[in-house]
Structure formats: C-alpha cells, structure tokens
C-alpha cells in the first residue's frame, strides 16, 4: 500500500499543501515548528479515530481559515487507485466527514483500505503515564487486525457516557433505561475485551518468533476486565457504588496494558527511556508483520522524530528492518543526516517555515 498523493486544505499550519511521494521511505526534515508532524497527523486521520495527536477536530482547522479542513489522498493498491478523503465543514467543526471514491462513508470504512501505525515523542512515556494512553495504543493495534473493533469501541463509549449521565442525575434512577444501557455495555464491552485479548495473544506469538537483535523482546498482558466476565451483572450489582462515584467503575475501560522486557524480566515502566523506546519499536515492527500476514497488506508506518531518540546501531537496524519488510514509512527529523543510512526507495522532502501557508512538494 502506497500513498502516492496527499493534499491538505486549511489543515493546521497549511492553507494548501500537495505531496506526491514515492514508495518506500518518505523522509520529512526541517526545523522544529516547520509543520512536519502536521503532515504525519494528516496521514493518521485516514483511519478511524482522532489521529496521532488525539486532538479535537476543531483544533485541526487552520487558524484564520474558514473553520473547516480537508485531507485527501490517492492510495495505490493492487486493485487500482482508491480516493480517500476526510475533513470538517465550517459550520460543524467537530463533525467528521469521510468520502471513499467520491461517496460518503463512515470513518470505520477506511479500515477496509488502509491500516496505519505510528510512534510519536509523546509516546515515550507511554509505560509510565496513565492507563488511558496504553489502552488507546492497544486499541490501535487491535483495529489494524479487526476493523469491527472501532464500532464496538464507539458503541461501548456511547452507552457508558449515557449510563454515567443517568447515574449522575439527582432524580430517581430509571432502572429500566439503566439496565438497557448496561446490556449495550456488556455486548460491546465483551467484544472490545475479546479483540484486545486476541490481539495480545497473536502479537506475543509473533514477537516470540523474532530473532534476537538490537530491539528488546516484549511480552504483553492485559490487566483488568476479562472478556469472559459477566459485565452486565457486574454493572447491575455496582449501580449504587457507581452512582456515588459518578461514573462506571467496572468494565474494559478500566483495563491496562502491561509490557515486560523479556531479556531483563523487568516491567517496561522500570526500564530506561532508551529501552522503552526499543520495546515500542519492537511491538510496532512485530505488529506490522502480523498485519501484513493477516490482512495481506502492510500498514503505513509513521515515525515522528524517531531517529533522534535511538542510538546509531539501533537506527541503522531500524532502517534495514523497515527496508526489508517493504511498505511505505513516513519519518520526520530535524537533520537530514540522521537518515543517511537509507540508501534507496526514499523520498526526501524539506519542510521549512517558508512553506507554512501554501506548499507544493512534488517528486
């Protein structure tokens, strides 16, 4: 899978932008604040969700612009080109619109054509920060393997929000409506937890088969709600407690992803920053191989400022591993010399502050 054309209108720092990269590596270099990560974020929005920054849609529209934005791309596939597009309208800045080959579609339909994985500097503290970030990371991995995961996640969240509002109401509890919402949470929460567990099992098997090398071997586990638990009964029994807390305290939204450095037998949050980065890279690379095997297509990989945060040995090994695996990989960095070890199939683009506003980058 290759994005051979990416067009932005009123997105972040860009009034307009057109990028036409080739297959393989796409390297964006330039000083801090030039808009490199904005381009990666635009690519990440070609899948369901809030993109690699997890920002509100209204925050993505260009300041001083009309209030909406658009992202369009041509995806080159074995069956022919596919036209993908997403964005918002000025009158509805937080309502996402998606089009596939010119026809309106849901965001989840994008997964039929494209899978995207990413690492950003903000994820360097993934293992030390709150569980929500780790759940989002795991859900992104699950989504690439099971497109229906997005549907179950959104339906579960919607039912949980409605239940939380009901529990927070000072009026007497509508037990029938509460029970109906709990049934929805049980249905979609069970599917959500099961997909997470299947993803972890498959990824652990894949990582165990990886040869020893410069990247740490990782083992993943899910702590918290299990897929075979009776979530509906647990929610019904916990209504009084949940009402006192003002939120639902039971379910897969309380789960946490635990990662262990197998070589050291040590939890990831107790490893060094470099070791944590190596663990993340090992997980993403192993998962990309798993997606390619299961879906018959390699995911696009977005690596924001990754070269500056690993040593030269791991950097060269990373580039070699990505080159051998194939697929399109988008990377950013402040210095072009960081990517000198990449020899072929590379599109090098210089993004600088004079480009902010309108830019046409054609190769």
């Amino acid at each position: 899978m290759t994005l051979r054309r990416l067009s932005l209108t009123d997105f972040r720092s860009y009034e307009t932008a057109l990028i036409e990269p080739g297959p393989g590596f796409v390297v964006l270099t330039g000083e801090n604040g030039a808009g490199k990560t904005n381009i990666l974020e635009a690519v990440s929005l070609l899948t369901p969700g809030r993109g690699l920054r997890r920002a509100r849609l209204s925050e993505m529209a260009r300041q001083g612009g009309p209030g909406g934005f658009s992202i369009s791309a041509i995806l080159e596939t074995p069956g022919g080109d596919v036209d993908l597009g997403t964005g918002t309208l000025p009158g509805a800045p937080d309502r996402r619109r998606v089009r596939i080959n010119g026809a309106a579609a849901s965001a989840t339909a994008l997964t039929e054509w494209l899978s995207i994985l990413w690492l950003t500097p903000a994820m360097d503290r993934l293992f030390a920060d709150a569980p929500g970030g780790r759940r989002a990371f795991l859900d992104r991995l699950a989504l690439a393997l099971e497109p229906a995961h997005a549907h179950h996640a959104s339906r579960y969240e919607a039912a949980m929000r409605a239940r939380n509002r009901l529990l927070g109401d000072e009026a007497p509890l509508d037990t029938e409506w509460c029970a109906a919402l709990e049934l929805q949470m049980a249905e979609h929460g069970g599917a959500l937890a099961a997909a997470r567990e299947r993803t972890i099992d498959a990824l652990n098997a894949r990582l165990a088969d990886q040869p020893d090398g410069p990247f740490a071997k990782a083992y993943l586990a899910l702590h918290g709600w299990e897929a075979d638990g009776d979530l509906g009964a647990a929610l019904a029994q916990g209504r009084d407690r949940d009402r006192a807390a003002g939120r639902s305290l039971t379910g897969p939204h309380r789960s946490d992803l635990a990662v262990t450095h197998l070589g050291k037998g040590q939890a990831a949050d107790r490893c060094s920053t470099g070791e944590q980065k190596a663990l993340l890279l090992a997980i993403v690379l192993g998962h990309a191989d798993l997606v390619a095997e299961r879906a018959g297509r390699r995911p696009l990989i977005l690596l924001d400022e990754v070269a500056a945060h690993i040593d030269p040995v791991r950097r060269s090994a990373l580039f070699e591993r990505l080159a051998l695996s194939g697929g399109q990989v988008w990377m950013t960095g402040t210095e072009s010399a960081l990517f000198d070890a990449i020899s072929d199939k590379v599109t090098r683009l210089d993004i600088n502050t004079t480009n902010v506003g309108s830019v046409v980058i054609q190769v």
Side-chain angles (χ1 to χ4, degrees), residues 152-160 185 188-189 192 231 250-253:
H152 291 298
S154 63
R155 294 296 297 272
Y156 177 81
E157 290 289 335
M160 182 176 65
M185 290 179 66
H188 297 291
L192 184 68
L231 180 56
T250 303
H253 65 285

Side-chain angles (χ1 to χ4, degrees), residues 79-159:
D81 288 350
V82 179
D83 188 355
L84 305 176
T86 189
T88 62
L89 295 176
D94 279 307
R95 182 183 177 187
R96 184 175 180 182
R97 298 163 63 88
V98 173
R99 300 188 74 82
I100 300 176
N101 288 330
S106 66
T108 56
L110 292 167
T111 59
E112 298 177 15
W113 301 102
L114 186 61
S115 299
I116 303 178
L117 305 175
W118 58 75
L119 284 181
T120 69
M123 295 170 66
D124 286 351
R125 290 190 53 81
L126 183 72
F127 301 124
D129 285 343
R134 291 186 289 278
R135 284 194 298 271
F137 176 66
L138 175 57
D139 284 338
R140 176 60 53 184
L141 301 181
L143 176 64
L145 293 172
E146 302 188 27
H149 189 67
H151 167 74
H152 291 298
S154 63
R155 294 296 297 272
Y156 177 81
E157 290 289 335

